Amino acid sequence: MGVLHDYFRAPDTSAAIDWSVGPDGDWDQHSGTGLDEHGVDWFDAKGLDPNVVLGQLIAFAKGIPFDARATAPALVWPDERLWPQGEDRPGQESPWETGLFLQQLPDEWIATLAEIHDEHLPLLALQWFDIPEANFADFIDVQDTIVEFRALARQARDHGHSVYCKTAI
């Protein structure tokens, strides 16, 4: 099945957690319909992780070398401060065992994606198509994915929202 990444916009972190994980982060109370149930603007980016794959698109769009240690998405769920001290594995009742993670994209990434111009799409798509960490079907798939990211970023910017990535392992 692989690792799935859903990108969506939300007005704040609390709403993002409620919509993608469950009320107040309680994954046991999640209805299963998630983002659709809340009428959220979102798309399934399959294996396009926010740290390395999307990070490279951001670097290409900025015209800078990719640096994984530079600005990166912030983990917002589960709360890394809640890892049980002294335990190698926290146990099945822990949110860390759900295989679900939620990250918030940096505001500068949203601005960068929102400002991608149509005339830059072919070059960005060529650059991004060549990265080994992603499996795109073809050049059109790459361009369409960039357009989806751009549209989501523009909607987030226009509504004062943030963009989040829900990862399910």
Side-chain angles (χ1 to χ4, degrees):
M1 180 162 167
V3 179
L4 303 176
H5 303 282
D6 296 336
Y7 289 85
F8 65 99
R9 68 179 174 94
D12 55 47
T13 301
S14 178
I17 291 170
D18 287 351
W19 297 347
S20 64
V21 178
D24 296 321
D26 185 355
W27 71 95
D28 288 331
Q29 299 300 314
H30 197 273
S31 65
T33 55
L35 300 173
D36 284 334
E37 175 182 288
H38 298 284
V40 176
D41 287 334
W42 73 281
F43 71 96
D44 174 5
K46 297 177 184 67
L48 305 181
D49 87 282
N51 298 293
V52 176
V53 177
L54 184 57
Q56 289 183 71
L57 174 61
I58 298 300
F60 294 144
K62 288 181 170 185
I64 61 173
F66 173 66
D67 180 0
R69 294 167 298 191
T71 306
L75 180 68
V76 296
W77 193 92
D79 187 337
E80 57 192 330
R81 296 170 297 178
L82 298 181
W83 184 276
Q85 294 295 320
E87 292 186 30
D88 290 336
R89 293 185 59 94
Q92 289 184 348
E93 68 284 347
S94 169
W96 290 97
E97 292 296 315
T98 64
L100 185 63
F101 300 93
L102 183 64
Q103 293 177 284
Q104 181 178 358
L105 301 187
D107 290 340
E108 72 178 73
W109 285 23
I110 296 166
T112 298
L113 291 167
E115 293 303 318
I116 294 173
H117 298 285
D118 285 344
E119 62 267 17
H120 298 137
L121 280 173
L123 178 58
L124 282 175
L126 279 173
Q127 290 174 301
W128 209 30
F129 187 61
D130 283 340
I131 68 170
E133 296 86 358
N135 253 344
F136 294 104
D138 55 31
F139 179 77
I140 299 301
D141 180 35
V142 180
Q143 265 191 257
D144 290 348
T145 302
I146 295 171
V147 168
E148 283 191 272
F149 274 114
R150 179 180 67 183
L152 183 64
R154 287 178 177 175
Q155 284 291 318
R157 178 195 63 195
D158 294 349
H159 288 87
H161 290 179
S162 292
V163 175
Y164 298 85
C165 178
K166 172 186 169 182
T167 299
I169 298 173

